[in-house]
Amino acid sequence: MGKQYRLYLIILTCWLICSHSSKAAEIWVSAAGSDKNPGTKEKPVSSIHMALRMGRELRRLNDPSVAGGIRIILRGDVYRLDEPLFVRPEDSGNPSSPTIIEAAPGEHPVLSGGVRVSKWQLATGVIWGLPERAKGNVWVADVPLKGGSPVDFRQLWIGDHKAVRAKDASGASMNRIVSWDHASESCLIPLPQIKGLSEAEGLEMFIHQWWAIAILRVKSIETEGKNARLRFHQPESHIQSEHPWPAPWISSKTGNSAFYLSNAIQFLDEPGEWFLDKKNRKVYYWPRKNEDLSKAVVTVPFLETLVKMEGTADRPVSHVYFKGISFQHSGWLRPSKAGHVPLQAGMYLLDAYKLKVPGTPEKKSLENQGWTGRPEAAVEVSFSSHTGFERCRFEHLASTGLDFRSGNQNDRIEGNLFKDIGGSAILAGVFSDEAFESHLVYNPADQREVTAHTEIQNNLITDVTNEDWGCVGIGAGFVKGIRIEHNEINEVSYSGISVGWGWTKDINVMNNNVIRANKIHHYGRNMYDVAGIYTLSSQPGSSIIENYIDSIYKAPYAHDPHHWFYLYTDEGSSYFTVKDNWCPAGKFLQNANGPGNVWENNGPQVADSIRLAAGIQDKYKDLLRFSAPAKGEINSVYAHVDGLGSKPQAIEISAKPGKRLDFSSIADICRQHGIATNSIFQWDNHVVIFDDFLNDSEKMQKKLALRFPDAVVKSYNTPFYSFSRKERCNDTRQASEWDDILLTANLVADEGLQKEYMDYHAAQFKKWPEVAKGFCNADFQRLLLFRNGRQLLLVISIPKGKNLDELNPLTTENNPRVDEWNALMKKCLEGIPGTKPGEVWVELKGSDGL
């Protein structure tokens, strides 16, 4: 027996004696400790590996001290890992004796796969290829070593801010390809005006194509007149040119696929960019304003995976929990070694091609084949049972954040932060990984392989998919009984939530999946063919209910600028209930769906109580302070009238019949939110606040509900119909000032007539152009039509000083089709409660000077 092992046994024995009577055994860890210590609070061990080993020995020896579980408590240090932390079946607990790896109270430990880059100096002397404007601004440091070898990396963080890998396009701009030649596996681009690129080692092309990007290593550049032809390394060269979906986009209408070139020192031409010179083992960086490299903490990733929790079907890892731990600085090197050509949701193709003769035994119409791999994740979990992550932080990660890959049962992901992640935040379940073709039905003989009954709740997912734009906030493959509830997802480049795989109506392992009460906004920043919630394939007993979806970005290089949706059930989606989801309009897509889907009550008419209840619940609401700021212009089903980014909204307060509302209280709440009192309108027992810039409308609603507990408070957030003089009239001149006239009515109870009313308005500009012509004749500046339940709110904006009674007859002057339109609409409408017999639209009078 070795001396070191005898010493370890002595320490463990002493520790067992000391901890024998505790409810849960505690093993303390501190970067300032020593693995020769007993692991007490006063004498902690220094590595989590050792703490796990000590806990493992306690369980092996059936020590009574673990009757209440094992708590591995981490002090608030940065633990820089040299290898992944491996959690094995032997580390498992049980319901009464779990293994918990947690932060010390009030402290914030970090598990980092990163390496510090230090000793920065201002770069001097001749540096081949460095742009003239960068000279005197760029700093240089030696590439750090691990195991005697230089670290290879694709990310660099200055403190908490990710730097930009040097590229030829400035900021968020991109160029456009000229053409793509699939036969020669080459691409034609405008000739770069940068010298020496043909000699640049490691040059890459990043290309935008439909719903995915591709990263291609450039093999050669050949000049062809005003253009340059790029050829690429294998295997990505043949995969990119042979697979049919998604392919490079060629369109004279919307523009060819956008791209940029990266990873050449010649591109290092603006603050915030960096370049790795592998040959000379140097890293260069041009600091942003207020960055001091002599003081800054500069980190590059070394490990691709920080934690592996891995069991087997017979011996899963069970009852192991991480609480309050931060996982940071993981890398992902596959694009540097083999390129990256994804099929969808970041799953990269290993081989793919179009079938000369379409059809397979499973799918007669199938025209392509594809086999996919799965990106590395910072934390990977396979074959687990009753494990969980709570109050953890996943930040500054190159690829996937947390991945429950396969064989996971009854696990829980709750109350975590996912931020600054290159790929997807959370993945769960098998995605046809390598073993079988992507369009095959997944029905394994051993159902223990299936990820089932996972709960993903109350997580904030923000600023993810920031390198692979085709990844998603939460992605689930072949899963069953999964519950995705009360998460908030924002600042994503593609879809918020994606559940399903396989593109097939055939029954498979997927069933009883629930996507409920999530709040998804500011999505689709870069890629279209997109939705807040997206599904694939048959999933009996599954539901998409009570979610909030809003604010999709105008993707600047979308292949089709109109191909975006709030809800999107794609190929084979079957047996779903899609109900009570709030979104600004009914912009949905049901593409090649299977049977059994039920769609009910989705859109702006959904009750405010549902909309306001979506997203993170009170216990975890503190996470929202970490939300990333919005970037870019929001898309909409209606155009902003003034071009200033206004979003007209309204709040209605309805008192009980015969009761009057205290206008002074309403005015006071308006003033608190910067809303002028002339934005208040009234009819009988109804008061409406309408404004183009209704700040903090949700907070206003809550205040009004508290002030008027016996009243009904509801909102009108986004019009389902919008007319703008600037867009629809030959004379586009607008009045310098206008007055807003507000009217309200109810749709009749007949749901068929309600649908008829909505359908007519959706098609009005195309099928009834005379109506818009009438609005132009009457000098209407805009019309907005909102809906909440059966009630409609109509806003007609007219030039200031004019009278609606004088202008309205001009809509029908020499325009009989408008009379026909009005007659059709009238049968769909009735007055709100309190109106006189036969009265339909009633005007809410303005309250100027209140």
Side-chain angles (χ1 to χ4, degrees):
M1 182 183 294
K3 181 178 179 181
Q4 186 174 355
Y5 188 66
R6 284 198 302 272
L7 177 62
Y8 169 72
L9 285 181
I10 292 169
I11 292 172
L12 179 61
T13 302
C14 293
W15 187 83
L16 294 178
I17 294 169
C18 294
S19 61
H20 182 78
S21 61
S22 61
K23 292 182 180 179
E26 291 185 358
I27 305 172
W28 285 74
V29 185
S30 169
S34 168
D35 281 351
K36 295 181 180 180
N37 284 344
T40 62
K41 184 175 182 179
E42 294 74 21
K43 293 185 177 182
V45 295
S46 63
S47 72
I48 310 168
H49 296 81
M50 178 56 73
L52 272 174
R53 183 187 298 184
M54 294 174 75
R56 197 177 301 140
E57 287 298 287
L58 290 177
R59 293 203 184 276
R60 184 180 68 84
L61 297 171
N62 294 317
D63 188 86
S65 68
V66 303
I70 296 174
R71 295 174 62 209
I72 296 174
I73 304 172
L74 277 59
R75 302 305 300 262
D77 301 316
V78 176
Y79 300 88
R80 297 192 182 277
L81 305 176
D82 294 316
E83 60 180 332
L85 179 68
F86 212 125
V87 182
R88 300 176 169 87
E90 291 79 7
D91 300 312
S92 296
N94 57 58
S96 61
S97 176
T99 298
I100 302 174
I101 303 168
E102 62 183 318
E107 301 190 35
H108 305 284
V110 176
L111 272 61
S112 173
V115 182
R116 291 279 301 273
V117 182
S118 57
K119 298 181 180 179
W120 288 89
Q121 295 181 335
L122 190 65
T124 58
V126 178
I127 303 172
W128 180 88
L130 186 68
E132 190 65 31
R133 70 188 302 263
K135 293 176 181 177
N137 293 308
V138 169
W139 289 60
V140 63
D142 291 329
V143 173
L145 303 178
K146 289 292 281 187
S149 299
V151 176
D152 191 7
F153 53 91
R154 296 176 61 86
Q155 294 78 28
L156 181 143
W157 286 275
I158 314 297
D160 288 334
H161 299 283
K162 186 190 292 186
V164 178
R165 206 162 176 239
K167 56 189 180 71
D168 66 337
S170 179
S173 65
M174 300 176 73
N175 302 304
R176 301 276 192 173
I177 67 171
V178 176
S179 64
W180 195 280
D181 187 338
H182 293 269
S184 66
E185 300 177 7
S186 65
C187 175
L188 208 61
I189 66 171
L191 185 66
Q193 301 301 304
I194 299 173
K195 297 180 180 179
L197 284 185
S198 60
E199 303 171 37
E201 296 182 7
L203 185 67
E204 294 180 357
M205 180 187 200
F206 179 105
I207 183 170
H208 179 294
Q209 41 196 21
W210 302 37
W211 60 84
I213 58 96
I215 301 172
L216 311 169
R217 297 170 300 155
V218 177
K219 183 178 181 180
S220 65
I221 303 177
E222 305 159 9
T223 301
E224 294 187 8
K226 295 182 179 180
N227 299 318
R229 185 167 298 279
L230 305 183
R231 301 183 189 276
F232 310 98
H233 289 285
Q234 299 291 1
E236 66 265 37
S237 179
H238 79 85
I239 295 172
Q240 167 71 2
S241 286
E242 290 180 345
H243 86 286
W245 312 106
W249 181 254
I250 305 296
S251 170
S252 59
K253 183 178 180 181
T254 60
N256 296 346
S257 274
F259 79 95
Y260 63 75
L261 302 177
S262 67
N263 199 37
I265 196 169
Q266 291 95 324
F267 301 149
L268 185 50
D269 60 359
E270 62 184 3
E273 288 190 330
W274 65 276
F275 172 71
L276 171 62
D277 182 348
K278 293 184 184 180
K279 183 177 180 181
N280 296 302
R281 299 187 177 185
K282 299 289 184 183
V283 57
Y284 296 91
Y285 178 64
W286 185 337
R288 300 180 183 98
K289 187 179 180 181
N290 299 325
E291 287 180 337
D292 183 350
L293 290 191
S294 66
K295 299 177 182 178
V297 176
V298 181
T299 308
V300 297
F302 165 62
L303 293 179
E304 294 184 292
T305 299
L306 311 182
V307 175
K308 280 183 178 285
M309 188 186 299
E310 188 170 330
T312 66
D314 294 321
R315 297 186 66 213
V317 177
S318 62
H319 299 283
V320 175
Y321 303 92
F322 285 82
K323 296 185 177 182
I325 308 299
S326 185
F327 305 94
Q328 296 186 8
H329 303 128
S330 67
W332 190 42
L333 291 176
R334 178 181 170 85
S336 297
K337 298 175 179 178
H340 178 57
V341 185
L343 173 61
Q344 189 164 306
M347 303 298 154
Y348 55 83
L349 289 162
L350 300 165
D351 194 11
Y353 51 86
K354 188 171 183 177
L355 296 169
K356 293 182 179 179
V357 179
T360 66
E362 296 80 16
K363 194 171 184 179
K364 300 302 181 184
S365 61
L366 188 65
E367 63 176 359
N368 67 94
Q369 299 277 270
W371 292 263
T372 62
R374 189 182 190 117
E376 300 296 326
V379 178
E380 296 181 355
V381 185
S382 298
F383 289 100
S384 61
S385 173
H386 295 92
T387 67
F389 293 80
E390 183 181 8
R391 286 288 185 184
C392 294
R393 295 175 63 155
F394 296 80
E395 297 180 279
H396 316 316
L397 307 173
S399 186
T400 307
L402 175 59
D403 192 349
F404 277 72
R405 298 174 72 94
S406 63
N408 314 103
Q409 308 283 326
N410 300 295
D411 299 303
R412 191 175 184 88
I413 305 165
E414 184 168 27
N416 304 285
L417 170 66
F418 295 84
K419 185 175 183 179
D420 182 18
I421 296 175
S424 299
I426 302 170
L427 293 178
V430 168
F431 286 81
S432 64
D433 304 336
E434 300 195 18
F436 58 96
E437 203 274 327
S438 296
H439 302 88
L440 292 177
V441 169
Y442 182 60
N443 274 314
D446 189 344
Q447 287 288 302
R448 294 176 299 176
E449 294 179 15
V450 180
T451 292
H453 310 298
T454 307
E455 296 183 357
I456 304 173
Q457 299 179 349
N458 284 297
N459 301 283
L460 173 60
I461 296 169
T462 183
D463 185 23
V464 301
T465 71
N466 58 31
E467 291 201 25
D468 184 344
W469 296 346
C471 289
V472 297
I474 298 174
F478 290 103
V479 295
K480 66 180 180 181
I482 194 170
R483 298 189 70 89
I484 303 173
E485 299 177 301
H486 283 290
N487 302 282
E488 178 153 341
I489 302 172
N490 61 56
E491 299 308 317
V492 288
S493 295
Y494 186 43
S495 293
I497 296 173
S498 174
V499 176
W501 201 249
W503 292 268
T504 176
K505 304 175 195 175
D506 296 338
I507 298 298
N508 57 81
V509 299
M510 294 187 288
N511 59 70
N512 296 306
N513 297 314
V514 176
I515 307 170
R516 186 182 76 86
N518 301 282
K519 186 173 184 178
I520 303 164
H521 59 100
H522 293 87
Y523 67 100
R525 187 166 60 216
N526 297 108
M527 314 303 291
Y528 273 7
D529 197 19
V530 63
I533 298 173
Y534 171 92
T535 66
L536 278 171
S537 298
S538 177
Q539 302 185 41
S542 296
S543 58
I544 303 169
I545 55 174
E546 300 176 4
N547 298 282
Y548 169 114
I549 307 168
D550 194 10
S551 300
I552 179 171
Y553 279 112
K554 280 190 175 180
Y557 297 103
H559 68 290
D560 180 346
H562 305 292
H563 204 64
W564 59 268
F565 308 96
Y566 296 115
L567 298 168
Y568 184 174
T569 50
D570 203 2
E571 289 193 52
S573 292
S574 311
Y575 307 107
F576 274 95
T577 295
V578 186
K579 184 178 179 181
D580 295 334
N581 297 284
W582 186 91
C583 47
K587 199 168 192 310
F588 311 134
L589 182 60
Q590 301 173 59
N591 178 48
N593 284 187
N597 291 328
V598 176
W599 288 70
E600 292 182 3
N601 193 41
N602 301 288
Q605 74 278 8
V606 171
D608 286 346
S609 58
I610 291 175
R611 179 177 61 84
L612 295 172
I616 294 175
Q617 294 172 299
D618 288 346
K619 181 180 178 181
Y620 298 101
K621 275 238 167 111
D622 57 289
L623 288 171
L624 295 176
R625 71 185 189 275
F626 298 112
S627 288
K631 304 173 185 175
E633 186 179 356
I634 298 302
N635 217 327
S636 178
V637 291
Y638 69 99
H640 294 313
V641 174
D642 55 12
L644 298 176
S646 64
K647 185 178 180 181
Q649 293 176 279
I651 298 173
E652 180 182 19
I653 312 103
S654 303
K656 290 182 178 180
K659 298 286 185 179
R660 305 292 289 182
L661 294 161
D662 179 6
F663 275 32
S664 63
S665 295
I666 296 172
D668 185 54
I669 291 173
C670 285
R671 291 188 191 100
Q672 292 173 24
H673 292 268
I675 305 299
T677 54
N678 61 7
S679 295
I680 303 174
F681 300 79
Q682 182 266 339
W683 177 83
D684 196 22
N685 60 329
H686 296 260
V687 172
V688 170
I689 304 164
F690 171 79
D691 196 87
D692 281 354
F693 298 90
L694 201 58
N695 301 322
D696 299 323
S697 62
E698 291 184 6
K699 290 183 180 178
M700 289 184 68
Q701 280 182 257
K702 290 179 180 178
K703 288 181 181 179
L704 290 163
L706 287 171
R707 176 61 185 83
F708 303 103
D710 295 327
V712 175
V713 180
K714 60 185 180 182
S715 64
Y716 301 85
N717 289 285
T718 305
F720 64 86
Y721 170 84
S722 172
F723 162 87
S724 167
R725 180 176 186 82
K726 190 173 181 179
E727 291 185 352
R728 300 292 178 182
C729 302
N730 292 329
D731 180 359
T732 61
R733 289 176 297 176
Q734 291 182 290
S736 58
E737 292 183 273
W738 58 44
D739 290 321
D740 292 320
I741 310 298
L742 270 65
L743 303 103
T744 187
N746 268 354
L747 290 167
V748 296
D750 187 315
E751 292 184 358
L753 289 175
Q754 291 180 27
K755 184 177 185 302
E756 187 174 328
Y757 187 87
M758 300 296 286
D759 289 345
Y760 268 116
H761 280 83
Q764 186 204 83
F765 294 121
K766 184 176 181 180
K767 295 184 178 180
W768 293 79
E770 296 86 353
V771 175
K773 182 181 177 182
F775 297 156
C776 294
N777 291 341
D779 206 15
F780 290 171
Q781 304 297 298
R782 69 174 175 184
L783 278 87
L784 305 173
L785 194 51
F786 299 80
R787 177 180 176 180
N788 189 317
R790 286 175 55 204
Q791 189 172 351
L792 303 176
L793 181 67
L794 172 62
V795 180
I796 304 176
S797 300
I798 61 176
K800 195 169 186 66
K802 293 292 183 78
N803 186 292
L804 182 62
D805 291 336
E806 295 173 356
L807 297 179
N808 201 41
L810 300 177
T811 61
T812 58
E813 188 173 283
N814 300 318
N815 199 349
R817 283 274 281 174
V818 177
D819 288 323
E820 294 178 42
W821 170 268
N822 291 336
L824 286 168
M825 297 305 102
K826 188 174 182 179
K827 69 178 183 179
C828 303
L829 301 172
E830 62 185 20
I832 65 173
T835 54
K836 299 174 183 178
E839 190 176 25
V840 179
W841 289 104
V842 292
E843 182 178 350
L844 297 110
K845 297 293 185 180
S847 304
D848 290 308
L850 183 67

